Amino acid sequence: MNMEQTYQVTPVWPARKEVFGIPVTPTSYKEATDCIIDAAIASVSACIDFMPVHGLMTAVEDPRFDEAIKKKFDMVCPDGQPVRWALNKMHKARLKDRVYGPTLTLRLLKRAEEENIPVYFYGSTEPVLQKLKNNLLEKYPMLIISGMESPPFRALTDQENAETAERINSSGAKILFIGLGCPKQELWAASQKGKITMPMLCVGAAFDFHAGTVKQAPAWMQKRGLEWLYRLCKEPGRLWKRYCLTNTRFLAAYIRSQV
């Protein structure tokens, strides 16, 4: 399908299942990619998240984040292996793989290149965005990048948010990738739903990974749900609380759910 075609396909978002009271989508890379591409072609304002253990437990414990996920998000993919395992155990989802934000980002960019769908990147820093652009265009030389923007490291005013939405909409982009970190990116996307006229993907560290400024865990660690350990060893001072405490709370919640 080419963007020059005049017909549109309205996306049908997969049903969600609750994990500790948080609605998560049992989905696959193919289904998620197809839904997002359909939303892009139809210019549907939508919010898509990629939820690891940290994101799930933040939603459990933060009422504002919980409300945003429940009321504004159309698809919440199981980004972390433990989240996938919980869906399989609690809902017999039979998922063979997680839907990892950085991996889905590349799949979408490949489709975007093939189907002439312009994309926009919002988040991180200017040096990271420049490296990201260089790497992506080397990998996908025909990819249309309509814009890249590093916002201030503070809350934006209502006027600034409105101006940002206008810039993104007028750029011609059809998919917006957001890399602000959890939960900031999700709360911002939720606030822009209905204002930014395209699917908004909260992909977190994908910007850094694909820019080459942060290394991803080896595939064998990712498969076994040990990516958190790899990142903890790389950045113990920044990530110890996120992983040690959050993983413990996830395990405790899982045990309670099985009693």
Side-chain angles (χ1 to χ4, degrees):
M1 186 180 296
N2 189 288
M3 287 299 297
E4 294 179 356
Q5 292 174 311
T6 57
Y7 64 89
Q8 296 180 336
V9 179
T10 302
V12 177
W13 304 107
R16 295 192 282 177
K17 303 291 184 181
E18 288 194 355
V19 178
F20 314 150
I22 307 303
V24 184
T25 310
T27 189
S28 64
Y29 282 114
K30 183 181 185 306
E31 182 178 53
T33 300
D34 288 344
C35 285
I36 294 166
I37 292 295
D38 286 347
I41 292 171
S43 296
V44 171
S45 182
C47 294
I48 296 95
D49 198 28
F50 299 88
M51 186 165 278
V53 167
H54 171 250
L56 179 65
M57 297 314 296
T58 300
V60 168
E61 297 163 2
D62 183 338
R64 187 181 173 204
F65 189 45
D66 171 72
E67 182 179 23
I69 291 295
K70 288 179 177 176
K71 293 185 177 180
K72 297 291 187 177
F73 276 75
D74 301 277
M75 189 160 56
V76 180
C77 302
D79 179 275
Q81 293 288 12
V83 179
R84 175 179 72 90
W85 297 335
L87 281 169
N88 285 346
K89 179 67 174 180
M90 298 168 70
H91 298 289
K92 296 180 172 58
R94 297 181 180 178
L95 297 177
K96 295 181 179 180
D97 199 358
R98 62 176 174 166
V99 180
Y100 184 42
T103 299
L104 187 68
T105 294
L106 294 182
R107 291 182 178 226
L108 278 169
L109 292 174
K110 184 175 186 298
R111 284 282 299 274
E113 180 191 38
E114 293 169 350
E115 302 183 28
N116 299 320
I117 299 174
V119 299
Y120 200 105
F121 296 87
Y122 182 82
S124 195
T125 64
E126 291 294 345
V128 170
L129 290 178
Q130 187 57 55
K131 291 178 181 178
L132 176 64
K133 182 177 182 179
N134 293 341
N135 289 349
L136 292 181
L137 290 179
E138 183 176 351
K139 190 177 186 68
Y140 308 109
M142 301 304 292
L143 178 67
I144 304 170
I145 299 179
S146 293
M148 289 184 149
E149 184 172 343
S150 174
F153 285 91
R154 57 170 174 78
L156 301 184
T157 65
D158 290 343
Q159 181 178 345
E160 286 174 325
N161 274 321
E163 291 171 351
T164 298
E166 175 60 26
R167 280 196 303 275
I168 295 171
N169 288 336
S170 63
S171 73
K174 291 293 183 178
I175 302 175
L176 174 62
F177 294 92
I178 307 171
L180 298 174
C182 175
K184 183 179 180 181
Q185 60 191 7
E186 288 84 3
L187 294 175
W188 187 81
S191 74
Q192 297 303 304
K193 190 172 185 181
K195 301 172 184 176
I196 292 177
T197 56
M198 64 195 73
M200 298 174 277
L201 281 66
C202 300
V203 296
F207 285 26
D208 288 311
F209 290 154
H210 298 320
T213 56
V214 175
K215 290 185 177 181
Q216 296 189 67
W220 70 267
M221 295 188 79
Q222 293 188 38
K223 184 176 181 180
R224 290 165 176 79
L226 295 174
E227 184 177 17
W228 67 271
L229 180 59
Y230 178 87
R231 295 192 66 190
L232 178 61
C233 291
K234 292 291 184 181
E235 300 181 81
R238 186 174 74 88
L239 297 177
W240 75 269
K241 185 175 182 180
R242 171 188 293 190
Y243 291 128
C244 294
L245 299 183
T246 302
N247 288 2
T248 300
R249 292 197 293 268
F250 175 88
L251 183 59
Y254 180 79
I255 292 171
R256 287 196 300 271
S257 74
Q258 299 303 301
V259 174

Coordinates of all heavy atoms in Angstrom, one line a residue, residues 110-189:
K110 N 11.0 0.2 8.5 CA 11.2 -0.5 7.3 C 9.9 -0.4 6.5 O 9.9 -0.1 5.3 CB 11.5 -2.0 7.6 CG 11.8 -2.8 6.3 CD 12.2 -4.2 6.7 CE 12.7 -5.0 5.4 NZ 11.5 -5.2 4.5
R111 N 8.7 -0.6 7.1 CA 7.4 -0.5 6.4 C 7.2 1.0 6.0 O 6.7 1.2 4.9 CB 6.3 -0.9 7.4 CG 6.1 -2.4 7.6 CD 5.4 -3.1 6.4 NE 4.1 -2.6 6.2 CZ 3.0 -3.0 6.8 NH1 3.1 -4.0 7.8 NH2 1.8 -2.5 6.6
A112 N 7.6 1.9 6.8 CA 7.5 3.3 6.4 C 8.3 3.7 5.2 O 7.8 4.4 4.3 CB 7.9 4.2 7.6
E113 N 9.5 3.1 5.1 CA 10.3 3.3 3.9 C 9.7 2.7 2.7 O 9.6 3.4 1.6 CB 11.7 2.7 4.1 CG 12.6 3.0 2.9 CD 13.9 2.1 3.0 OE1 13.9 1.0 3.5 OE2 15.0 2.7 2.6
E114 N 9.2 1.5 2.8 CA 8.6 0.8 1.7 C 7.3 1.5 1.2 O 7.0 1.5 0.0 CB 8.3 -0.6 2.1 CG 9.5 -1.5 2.4 CD 9.2 -2.8 3.0 OE1 8.0 -3.0 3.4 OE2 10.1 -3.7 3.1
E115 N 6.5 2.1 2.1 CA 5.2 2.6 1.8 C 5.2 4.2 1.8 O 4.1 4.8 1.7 CB 4.2 2.1 2.7 CG 4.1 0.5 2.7 CD 3.0 -0.1 3.6 OE1 2.0 0.6 3.8 OE2 3.2 -1.2 4.0
N116 N 6.4 4.8 1.8 CA 6.5 6.2 1.7 C 5.7 7.0 2.8 O 5.0 7.9 2.6 CB 6.0 6.7 0.3 CG 6.9 6.2 -0.8 OD1 8.1 6.1 -0.7 ND2 6.3 5.8 -1.9
I117 N 5.8 6.5 4.0 CA 5.1 7.0 5.2 C 6.1 7.9 6.0 O 7.0 7.4 6.6 CB 4.5 5.9 6.1 CG1 3.5 5.1 5.3 CG2 3.9 6.5 7.3 CD1 2.9 3.9 6.0
P118 N 5.9 9.2 6.0 CA 6.9 10.1 6.7 C 6.8 9.9 8.2 O 5.7 9.6 8.8 CB 6.4 11.5 6.3 CG 5.6 11.3 5.1 CD 4.9 10.0 5.3
V119 N 7.9 10.0 8.9 CA 8.0 9.8 10.4 C 8.6 11.1 11.1 O 9.3 11.8 10.4 CB 8.7 8.6 10.7 CG1 8.1 7.3 10.1 CG2 10.2 8.7 10.3
Y120 N 8.3 11.2 12.4 CA 8.9 12.3 13.2 C 9.4 11.7 14.5 O 8.8 10.8 15.0 CB 7.7 13.3 13.4 CG 8.1 14.7 13.8 CD1 8.0 15.7 12.9 CD2 8.5 15.0 15.1 CE1 8.4 17.0 13.2 CE2 8.9 16.3 15.4 CZ 8.8 17.3 14.5 OH 9.1 18.6 14.8
F121 N 10.5 12.3 15.0 CA 11.0 11.9 16.2 C 11.0 13.0 17.2 O 11.5 14.1 16.9 CB 12.5 11.4 16.0 CG 12.6 10.2 15.2 CD1 12.6 10.3 13.8 CD2 12.6 8.9 15.7 CE1 12.7 9.2 13.0 CE2 12.6 7.8 14.9 CZ 12.7 7.9 13.5
Y122 N 10.5 12.7 18.4 CA 10.4 13.8 19.5 C 11.0 13.3 20.8 O 10.5 12.3 21.3 CB 8.9 14.1 19.6 CG 8.6 15.2 20.6 CD1 8.8 16.6 20.3 CD2 8.2 14.9 21.9 CE1 8.5 17.6 21.2 CE2 8.0 15.9 22.9 CZ 8.1 17.3 22.5 OH 7.8 18.3 23.4
G123 N 12.0 13.9 21.3 CA 12.6 13.5 22.5 C 14.1 13.5 22.5 O 14.8 14.0 21.5
S124 N 14.8 13.1 23.5 CA 16.2 12.9 23.7 C 16.9 14.3 23.5 O 16.4 15.3 23.8 CB 16.8 11.9 22.7 OG 18.1 11.5 23.0
T125 N 18.2 14.2 23.0 CA 19.0 15.5 22.9 C 19.4 15.6 21.4 O 19.3 14.7 20.6 CB 20.3 15.4 23.7 OG1 21.1 14.3 23.2 CG2 19.9 15.1 25.2
E126 N 19.8 16.8 21.0 CA 20.2 17.1 19.7 C 21.3 16.2 19.2 O 21.2 15.7 18.1 CB 20.5 18.6 19.5 CG 19.4 19.5 19.6 CD 18.3 19.4 18.5 OE1 18.6 18.8 17.5 OE2 17.2 19.9 18.7
P127 N 22.4 16.0 20.0 CA 23.4 15.1 19.5 C 22.9 13.6 19.3 O 23.3 13.0 18.3 CB 24.5 15.1 20.6 CG 24.2 16.4 21.3 CD 22.8 16.6 21.2
V128 N 22.1 13.1 20.1 CA 21.5 11.8 19.9 C 20.6 11.7 18.7 O 20.7 10.8 17.9 CB 20.7 11.3 21.2 CG1 19.9 10.1 20.9 CG2 21.6 11.1 22.4
L129 N 19.8 12.8 18.5 CA 19.0 12.8 17.3 C 19.8 12.8 16.0 O 19.4 12.2 15.0 CB 18.0 14.0 17.4 CG 16.9 13.9 18.4 CD1 16.1 15.2 18.4 CD2 16.0 12.7 18.3
Q130 N 20.9 13.5 16.0 CA 21.7 13.6 14.8 C 22.3 12.2 14.5 O 22.3 11.8 13.4 CB 22.8 14.6 15.0 CG 23.6 14.9 13.7 CD 22.7 15.3 12.5 OE1 21.9 16.2 12.6 NE2 22.8 14.5 11.4
K131 N 22.8 11.6 15.5 CA 23.3 10.2 15.4 C 22.3 9.2 14.9 O 22.5 8.4 14.1 CB 24.0 9.7 16.6 CG 25.3 10.5 17.0 CD 25.9 10.0 18.3 CE 27.1 10.8 18.7 NZ 27.7 10.3 20.0
L132 N 21.1 9.4 15.5 CA 20.0 8.5 15.2 C 19.6 8.7 13.7 O 19.4 7.7 13.0 CB 18.8 8.9 16.1 CG 17.5 8.1 15.8 CD1 17.6 6.6 16.0 CD2 16.3 8.7 16.6
K133 N 19.5 10.0 13.3 CA 19.2 10.2 11.9 C 20.2 9.6 10.9 O 19.8 9.0 9.9 CB 19.1 11.7 11.6 CG 18.7 12.1 10.2 CD 18.6 13.6 10.1 CE 18.2 14.1 8.7 NZ 18.0 15.5 8.6
N134 N 21.5 9.8 11.2 CA 22.5 9.3 10.4 C 22.4 7.7 10.3 O 22.5 7.2 9.2 CB 23.9 9.6 10.9 CG 24.2 11.1 10.8 OD1 23.5 11.8 10.0 ND2 25.1 11.6 11.6
N135 N 22.2 7.1 11.4 CA 22.2 5.6 11.4 C 20.9 5.1 10.7 O 21.0 4.1 9.9 CB 22.2 5.1 12.9 CG 23.5 5.3 13.5 OD1 24.5 5.6 12.9 ND2 23.6 5.1 14.8
L136 N 19.8 5.8 10.9 CA 18.6 5.3 10.3 C 18.6 5.5 8.7 O 18.2 4.6 8.0 CB 17.4 6.0 10.8 CG 17.0 5.7 12.3 CD1 15.8 6.5 12.7 CD2 16.9 4.2 12.5
L137 N 19.2 6.6 8.3 CA 19.2 6.8 6.8 C 20.2 5.9 6.2 O 20.1 5.6 5.0 CB 19.5 8.3 6.6 CG 18.4 9.3 6.9 CD1 18.8 10.7 6.6 CD2 17.1 8.9 6.1
E138 N 21.2 5.5 6.9 CA 22.2 4.5 6.4 C 21.5 3.2 6.2 O 21.7 2.5 5.2 CB 23.4 4.4 7.3 CG 24.4 3.4 6.8 CD 25.7 3.4 7.7 OE1 25.8 4.2 8.6 OE2 26.5 2.5 7.4
K139 N 20.6 2.8 7.2 CA 19.9 1.6 7.1 C 18.7 1.6 6.2 O 18.4 0.6 5.5 CB 19.5 1.2 8.6 CG 18.9 -0.2 8.7 CD 18.6 -0.5 10.2 CE 18.2 -1.9 10.4 NZ 19.3 -2.8 10.2
Y140 N 18.0 2.8 6.2 CA 16.8 2.9 5.4 C 17.0 4.2 4.5 O 16.4 5.3 4.9 CB 15.6 3.0 6.2 CG 15.4 1.9 7.3 CD1 15.6 2.2 8.6 CD2 15.1 0.6 6.9 CE1 15.5 1.2 9.6 CE2 15.0 -0.4 7.8 CZ 15.2 -0.1 9.1 OH 15.1 -1.1 10.1
P141 N 17.7 4.2 3.5 CA 18.1 5.4 2.7 C 16.9 6.1 2.1 O 17.0 7.3 1.9 CB 19.0 4.9 1.6 CG 18.8 3.4 1.5 CD 18.4 3.0 2.9
M142 N 15.8 5.5 1.9 CA 14.6 6.1 1.3 C 13.6 6.5 2.4 O 12.5 7.0 2.0 CB 13.9 5.2 0.3 CG 14.8 4.8 -0.8 SD 15.5 6.2 -1.7 CE 14.1 6.8 -2.5
L143 N 13.9 6.4 3.6 CA 13.0 6.8 4.7 C 12.8 8.3 4.7 O 13.8 9.1 4.6 CB 13.6 6.3 6.1 CG 12.8 6.7 7.3 CD1 11.5 5.9 7.4 CD2 13.6 6.4 8.6
I144 N 11.6 8.7 4.9 CA 11.2 10.1 4.9 C 11.1 10.6 6.4 O 10.2 10.2 7.1 CB 9.9 10.4 4.2 CG1 9.9 9.9 2.7 CG2 9.6 11.9 4.2 CD1 8.6 10.0 2.0
I145 N 12.1 11.3 6.8 CA 12.1 11.8 8.2 C 11.6 13.3 8.1 O 12.4 14.2 7.6 CB 13.5 11.8 8.9 CG1 13.9 10.3 8.9 CG2 13.5 12.4 10.2 CD1 15.3 10.1 9.6
S146 N 10.4 13.5 8.5 CA 9.8 14.8 8.4 C 10.3 15.8 9.4 O 10.2 17.0 9.2 CB 8.3 14.8 8.5 OG 7.7 14.1 7.4
G147 N 10.8 15.3 10.5 CA 11.3 16.2 11.5 C 11.9 15.5 12.7 O 11.6 14.3 13.0
M148 N 12.8 16.1 13.5 CA 13.3 15.6 14.7 C 13.4 16.8 15.7 O 13.8 17.9 15.3 CB 14.7 15.1 14.5 CG 14.8 13.7 13.7 SD 16.4 13.1 13.7 CE 16.1 11.3 13.7
E149 N 13.0 16.6 16.9 CA 12.9 17.7 17.9 C 13.3 17.2 19.3 O 12.8 16.2 19.8 CB 11.5 18.2 17.8 CG 11.2 19.4 18.7 CD 9.8 20.0 18.5 OE1 9.2 19.7 17.4 OE2 9.4 20.8 19.3
S150 N 14.2 18.0 19.9 CA 14.5 17.7 21.3 C 13.9 18.8 22.1 O 14.3 20.0 22.1 CB 16.1 17.8 21.4 OG 16.4 17.7 22.8
P151 N 12.9 18.4 22.9 CA 12.2 19.5 23.7 C 13.0 19.9 24.9 O 13.9 19.2 25.3 CB 10.9 18.7 24.1 CG 11.3 17.3 24.2 CD 12.3 17.1 23.1
P152 N 12.6 21.0 25.6 CA 13.3 21.4 26.8 C 13.1 20.4 27.9 O 12.1 19.7 27.9 CB 12.6 22.7 27.2 CG 11.9 23.2 25.9 CD 11.6 21.9 25.1
F153 N 14.1 20.3 28.8 CA 13.9 19.3 29.9 C 13.1 20.0 31.1 O 13.6 20.2 32.2 CB 15.3 18.9 30.4 CG 16.0 17.9 29.5 CD1 16.8 18.3 28.4 CD2 15.7 16.5 29.6 CE1 17.4 17.5 27.5 CE2 16.3 15.6 28.7 CZ 17.1 16.1 27.7
R154 N 11.9 20.3 30.8 CA 11.0 20.9 31.7 C 9.6 20.7 31.2 O 9.4 20.3 30.0 CB 11.3 22.4 31.9 CG 11.2 23.2 30.6 CD 11.2 24.7 30.9 NE 11.3 25.4 29.6 CZ 10.3 25.7 28.8 NH1 9.1 25.2 29.1 NH2 10.4 26.4 27.7
A155 N 8.6 20.9 32.0 CA 7.2 20.8 31.5 C 6.9 22.0 30.6 O 7.3 23.1 30.8 CB 6.3 20.9 32.7
L156 N 6.3 21.7 29.5 CA 5.9 22.7 28.5 C 4.7 23.4 28.9 O 3.8 22.9 29.6 CB 5.8 22.1 27.1 CG 6.9 21.4 26.5 CD1 6.6 20.9 25.1 CD2 8.2 22.2 26.5
T157 N 4.5 24.7 28.5 CA 3.3 25.4 28.7 C 2.2 24.9 27.7 O 2.6 24.2 26.8 CB 3.5 26.9 28.5 OG1 3.8 27.2 27.2 CG2 4.7 27.4 29.4
D158 N 1.0 25.3 28.0 CA -0.1 24.9 27.1 C 0.2 25.5 25.7 O -0.1 24.8 24.7 CB -1.4 25.4 27.6 CG -1.9 24.6 28.8 OD1 -1.3 23.6 29.1 OD2 -2.8 25.2 29.5
Q159 N 0.7 26.7 25.6 CA 1.0 27.3 24.3 C 2.1 26.5 23.6 O 2.0 26.3 22.4 CB 1.3 28.8 24.5 CG 1.6 29.4 23.2 CD 1.9 30.9 23.3 OE1 1.7 31.5 24.3 NE2 2.5 31.5 22.3
E160 N 3.1 26.2 24.4 CA 4.2 25.4 23.8 C 3.8 24.1 23.3 O 4.2 23.6 22.2 CB 5.4 25.3 24.8 CG 6.2 26.5 25.0 CD 7.2 26.4 26.2 OE1 6.9 25.7 27.1 OE2 8.2 27.0 26.1
N161 N 2.9 23.4 24.0 CA 2.4 22.1 23.6 C 1.6 22.3 22.3 O 1.7 21.4 21.4 CB 1.6 21.5 24.7 CG 2.4 20.7 25.7 OD1 3.3 20.0 25.3 ND2 2.0 20.7 26.9
A162 N 0.8 23.3 22.2 CA 0.0 23.6 21.0 C 0.9 23.9 19.8 O 0.6 23.4 18.7 CB -1.0 24.7 21.3
E163 N 1.9 24.6 20.0 CA 2.8 24.9 19.0 C 3.6 23.7 18.5 O 3.8 23.5 17.3 CB 3.8 26.0 19.4 CG 3.2 27.4 19.6 CD 4.1 28.4 20.3 OE1 5.2 28.0 20.7 OE2 3.7 29.6 20.3
T164 N 3.9 22.8 19.5 CA 4.6 21.5 19.1 C 3.7 20.7 18.3 O 4.1 20.1 17.3 CB 5.0 20.8 20.4 OG1 5.9 21.6 21.1 CG2 5.6 19.4 20.1
A165 N 2.4 20.5 18.7 CA 1.5 19.7 17.9 C 1.3 20.3 16.5 O 1.3 19.5 15.5 CB 0.1 19.7 18.6
E166 N 1.3 21.6 16.4 CA 1.1 22.2 15.1 C 2.4 21.9 14.2 O 2.2 21.6 13.0 CB 0.9 23.7 15.2 CG 0.9 24.5 13.9 CD -0.2 24.1 13.0 OE1 -1.2 23.5 13.4 OE2 0.0 24.2 11.7
R167 N 3.5 22.0 14.8 CA 4.8 21.7 14.0 C 4.8 20.3 13.5 O 5.1 20.0 12.4 CB 6.0 21.9 14.9 CG 6.4 23.4 15.0 CD 7.9 23.5 15.5 NE 8.0 22.8 16.8 CZ 7.8 23.4 18.0 NH1 7.3 24.6 18.1 NH2 8.0 22.7 19.1
I168 N 4.4 19.4 14.4 CA 4.4 17.9 14.0 C 3.4 17.7 13.0 O 3.6 17.0 12.0 CB 4.2 17.1 15.3 CG1 5.4 17.2 16.2 CG2 4.1 15.6 14.9 CD1 5.2 16.6 17.6
N169 N 2.2 18.2 13.2 CA 1.1 17.9 12.2 C 1.4 18.5 10.8 O 1.2 17.9 9.8 CB -0.2 18.5 12.7 CG -0.8 17.7 13.9 OD1 -0.5 16.6 14.1 ND2 -1.6 18.4 14.7
S170 N 2.0 19.7 10.8 CA 2.2 20.4 9.6 C 3.5 19.9 8.9 O 3.7 20.2 7.7 CB 2.4 21.9 9.8 OG 3.5 22.2 10.6
S171 N 4.3 19.0 9.5 CA 5.5 18.5 8.9 C 5.2 17.5 7.8 O 6.1 17.2 7.0 CB 6.4 17.8 10.0 OG 5.8 16.6 10.4
G172 N 4.0 17.0 7.8 CA 3.6 15.9 6.9 C 3.8 14.5 7.4 O 3.6 13.5 6.8
A173 N 4.3 14.4 8.7 CA 4.6 13.1 9.3 C 3.3 12.3 9.5 O 2.2 12.9 9.7 CB 5.3 13.3 10.6
K174 N 3.4 11.0 9.5 CA 2.2 10.1 9.7 C 2.4 9.2 10.9 O 1.5 8.6 11.4 CB 2.0 9.3 8.5 CG 1.5 10.1 7.3 CD 0.1 10.6 7.5 CE -0.5 11.3 6.3 NZ -1.9 11.8 6.5
I175 N 3.7 9.1 11.4 CA 3.9 8.4 12.7 C 4.9 9.2 13.5 O 5.9 9.7 13.0 CB 4.6 7.0 12.4 CG1 3.7 6.2 11.5 CG2 4.9 6.3 13.7 CD1 4.4 4.8 11.0
L176 N 4.6 9.3 14.8 CA 5.4 10.0 15.7 C 6.0 9.1 16.7 O 5.3 8.3 17.4 CB 4.6 11.1 16.5 CG 5.3 11.8 17.6 CD1 6.5 12.6 17.1 CD2 4.3 12.7 18.4
F177 N 7.4 9.1 16.8 CA 8.1 8.3 17.8 C 8.5 9.2 18.9 O 9.1 10.3 18.7 CB 9.3 7.7 17.2 CG 9.0 6.6 16.1 CD1 9.0 7.0 14.8 CD2 8.8 5.3 16.5 CE1 8.7 6.0 13.8 CE2 8.6 4.3 15.5 CZ 8.5 4.7 14.2
I178 N 8.2 8.8 20.2 CA 8.5 9.7 21.3 C 9.5 9.0 22.2 O 9.2 7.8 22.6 CB 7.2 10.0 22.1 CG1 6.1 10.5 21.2 CG2 7.4 10.9 23.3 CD1 4.7 10.6 21.9
G179 N 10.5 9.7 22.6 CA 11.6 9.1 23.5 C 11.9 10.0 24.6 O 12.9 10.7 24.6
L180 N 11.0 10.1 25.6 CA 11.1 11.0 26.7 C 11.3 10.2 28.0 O 11.5 10.9 29.1 CB 9.9 11.9 26.9 CG 9.6 12.8 25.7 CD1 8.2 13.5 26.0 CD2 10.7 13.9 25.6
G181 N 11.2 8.9 28.0 CA 11.3 8.1 29.2 C 10.0 8.0 29.9 O 9.1 8.8 29.8
C182 N 9.9 6.9 30.6 CA 8.6 6.6 31.4 C 8.6 7.2 32.7 O 9.6 7.1 33.5 CB 8.5 5.1 31.5 SG 7.1 4.5 32.4
P183 N 7.5 7.8 33.2 CA 6.2 7.9 32.5 C 6.0 9.3 31.8 O 4.9 9.5 31.3 CB 5.2 7.9 33.7 CG 6.0 8.6 34.8 CD 7.5 8.2 34.6
K184 N 7.0 10.1 31.7 CA 6.9 11.4 31.0 C 6.3 11.3 29.6 O 5.4 12.0 29.2 CB 8.2 12.1 31.0 CG 8.2 13.5 30.5 CD 9.5 14.2 30.5 CE 9.5 15.6 29.9 NZ 10.8 16.3 30.0
Q185 N 6.9 10.3 28.8 CA 6.4 10.2 27.5 C 5.0 9.8 27.3 O 4.2 10.3 26.5 CB 7.3 9.2 26.7 CG 7.3 7.8 27.3 CD 8.4 6.9 26.7 OE1 9.3 7.4 25.9 NE2 8.4 5.6 27.0
E186 N 4.5 8.9 28.2 CA 3.1 8.4 28.2 C 2.2 9.5 28.6 O 1.1 9.7 27.9 CB 2.9 7.2 29.1 CG 3.5 5.9 28.5 CD 5.0 5.8 28.9 OE1 5.6 6.6 29.5 OE2 5.6 4.8 28.4
L187 N 2.5 10.3 29.6 CA 1.7 11.4 30.0 C 1.6 12.5 29.0 O 0.5 13.1 28.7 CB 2.2 12.0 31.4 CG 2.1 11.0 32.6 CD1 2.8 11.6 33.8 CD2 0.7 10.6 32.9
W188 N 2.7 12.7 28.3 CA 2.7 13.7 27.2 C 1.9 13.3 26.1 O 1.0 14.0 25.5 CB 4.1 14.1 26.8 CG 4.2 15.2 25.8 CD1 4.1 16.6 26.1 CD2 4.2 15.1 24.4 NE1 4.1 17.3 25.0 CE2 4.2 16.5 23.9 CE3 4.3 14.1 23.5 CZ2 4.3 16.8 22.5 CZ3 4.3 14.3 22.1 CH2 4.3 15.7 21.7
A189 N 2.0 12.0 25.7 CA 1.3 11.5 24.5 C -0.2 11.5 24.8 O -1.0 11.9 24.0 CB 1.7 10.1 24.2

